[in-house]
Amino acid sequence: MTQSVLGNITLGFQPLWGRQREMVGLQLTVDRASHATLVDAPHLVRTLKETWAETAPALQLALRSPALLADLLDRAPADAPPIEVPGLWLADDDALVRRVVAAADRGLRLIWQGDTATPSEDLAP
């Protein structure tokens, strides 16, 4: 029996509300479980796509592990749910910046997550 990726992560969720106070999506927070050494990002995306009903609200991923974010940026397919990219993680990590640019070039949908800082011109698109 193949082990599910779900045994290696912890999940949280938060509804995303539209201007008319209707639920327009769901932010799914993903972190590695304390016992997990590695999470297979493509397996995670496949599992979410297989189990997420088409009638369910749109899904947005918020990763709490820079390593998992890097893996998703490198290996997630273009049709993966949108992925939040914390601006603070990019401040001192040129490798992560390169991954963001490459993922966007592959068609992965990315969402800037930050309080006051805005992405640089090369990351803004």
Side-chain angles (χ1 to χ4, degrees):
M1 176 184 267
T2 305
Q3 182 179 359
S4 172
V5 69
L6 297 178
N8 291 322
I9 59 174
T10 57
L11 298 171
F13 71 94
Q14 175 178 319
L16 300 173
W17 300 99
R19 289 189 175 141
Q20 302 301 318
R21 301 196 48 91
E22 76 280 8
M23 191 164 89
V24 296
L26 194 72
Q27 178 190 56
L28 188 65
T29 304
V30 183
D31 200 355
R32 290 183 308 162
S34 58
H35 67 277
T37 56
L38 183 64
V39 175
D40 183 355
H43 186 192
L44 171 62
V45 172
R46 272 193 318 275
T47 301
L48 290 173
K49 287 170 67 174
E50 289 170 1
T51 57
W52 202 254
E54 288 187 29
T55 57
L59 189 61
Q60 174 179 313
L61 299 178
L63 294 306
R64 295 299 175 244
S65 161
L68 182 55
L69 174 62
D71 195 21
L72 276 170
L73 291 172
D74 287 346
R75 304 184 332 151
D79 64 345
I83 298 170
E84 286 186 9
V85 178
L88 289 176
W89 291 0
L90 298 175
D92 298 321
D93 192 340
D94 291 336
L96 192 58
V97 170
R98 286 190 298 277
R99 284 181 162 104
V100 165
V101 172
D105 288 347
R106 270 194 350 263
L108 200 60
R109 293 169 294 163
L110 304 174
I111 300 169
W112 175 263
Q113 189 273 325
D115 292 331
T116 57
T118 56
S120 61
E121 283 187 32
D122 58 329
L123 290 177

